[in-house]
Amino acid sequence: NKRLKEKVDGLAESQAELSVLREENVQLKSELDLQSSLTEYSTMTGTVISRNPDAWVDQVIVDRGSMDGLERGMSVMSKNGLVGRISEVSPTSSKVTLLSTTAPSSILTSTEIIQEDETIFGVLTGFDLERNELIMEQITSETEIEVGNDVITSGLGGLVPRGLLVGTITEISLDNQGLGQRVYIEPATDFKDIQFVTIINRIAETPEFI
């Protein structure tokens, strides 16, 4: 009975390890598919090695650093969507500040919505923790924005490349002043579940501002 119990316990442990490996393989395949679609950029895959519970929504640490060519400001994606930017770099690891952070100044990213009649520009200005959605404001057009449209990076700031998927529009309302439009965006990536990332470096030289 003792030997049988040991075998059963060993089988359960093996099944758990197999489930973890399957999930990791799925996420790695997603990152590889993403890299194959980003032909205009130099990309590198990294693994999340640390995520502090006290700063869960703010940052992750990845296993790539200056020895791999990483620099502050590089865009970071996971699965299909933009999740943040490199904010600190050491030789073998880097800190990624997430778009879900509670520090608004770290979120600011130039974005655009492509509609049939017009391209609408704006800026990511915040993250609504209750809705688990990004907020886009400073919108340059009074054109009616359509729910369900995708939001991508515009590249107008200089550092973040154009064309990186941010998410899908779920709601349009007025901003706090009641003068401009505010767009709520369901992120293309689940910020609560980031295990692997793709770090992006635009090949062309760019100015050092967002």
Side-chain angles (χ1 to χ4, degrees), residues 81-142:
L82 183 70
V83 294
R85 288 192 289 275
I86 301 291
S87 55
E88 292 183 20
V89 179
S90 70
T92 59
S93 65
S94 298
K95 178 191 292 185
V96 179
T97 296
L98 301 174
L99 293 178
S100 58
T101 181
T102 52
S105 60
S106 299
I107 298 174
L108 297 176
T109 305
S110 298
T111 48
E112 65 180 68
I113 306 163
I114 299 178
Q115 301 196 152
E116 286 188 11
D117 54 346
E118 184 179 3
T119 298
I120 300 170
F121 296 96
V123 177
L124 290 184
T125 59
F127 188 86
D128 189 313
L129 289 173
E130 291 186 4
R131 298 176 60 124
N132 197 35
E133 292 184 334
L134 292 157
I135 298 170
M136 177 181 174
E137 296 178 312
Q138 300 180 31
I139 293 167
T140 60
S141 172
E142 296 182 0

Side-chain angles (χ1 to χ4, degrees), residues 5-138:
K5 185 178 184 305
E6 288 175 351
K7 287 183 179 179
V8 170
D9 291 344
L11 180 60
E13 185 177 338
S14 296
Q15 288 177 331
E17 290 177 355
L18 185 59
S19 296
V20 170
L21 288 172
R22 279 204 196 100
E23 175 63 21
E24 287 183 350
N25 284 336
V26 168
Q27 295 210 23
L28 278 171
K29 184 179 184 302
S30 177
E31 296 305 314
L32 289 172
D33 289 343
L34 172 63
Q35 288 190 37
S36 67
S37 68
L38 296 170
T39 54
E40 296 180 28
Y41 316 119
S42 171
T43 63
M44 179 187 306
T45 299
T47 301
V48 174
I49 56 174
S50 176
R51 190 167 189 179
N52 190 328
D54 293 334
W56 191 263
V57 300
D58 297 310
Q59 64 189 44
V60 297
I61 306 297
V62 297
D63 65 345
R64 299 284 190 171
S66 58
M67 293 178 65
D68 303 293
L70 266 62
E71 298 177 1
R72 289 185 61 209
M74 286 183 174
S75 301
V76 180
M77 301 186 74
S78 182
K79 300 173 186 174
N80 293 317
L82 183 70
V83 294
R85 288 192 289 275
I86 301 291
S87 55
E88 292 183 20
V89 179
S90 70
T92 59
S93 65
S94 298
K95 178 191 292 185
V96 179
T97 296
L98 301 174
L99 293 178
S100 58
T101 181
T102 52
S105 60
S106 299
I107 298 174
L108 297 176
T109 305
S110 298
T111 48
E112 65 180 68
I113 306 163
I114 299 178
Q115 301 196 152
E116 286 188 11
D117 54 346
E118 184 179 3
T119 298
I120 300 170
F121 296 96
V123 177
L124 290 184
T125 59
F127 188 86
D128 189 313
L129 289 173
E130 291 186 4
R131 298 176 60 124
N132 197 35
E133 292 184 334
L134 292 157
I135 298 170
M136 177 181 174
E137 296 178 312
Q138 300 180 31

Side-chain angles (χ1 to χ4, degrees), residues 140-158:
T140 60
S141 172
E142 296 182 0
T143 299
E144 183 176 348
I145 299 172
E146 300 174 12
V147 170
N149 279 352
D150 287 337
V151 177
I152 62 174
T153 55
S154 68
L156 293 181

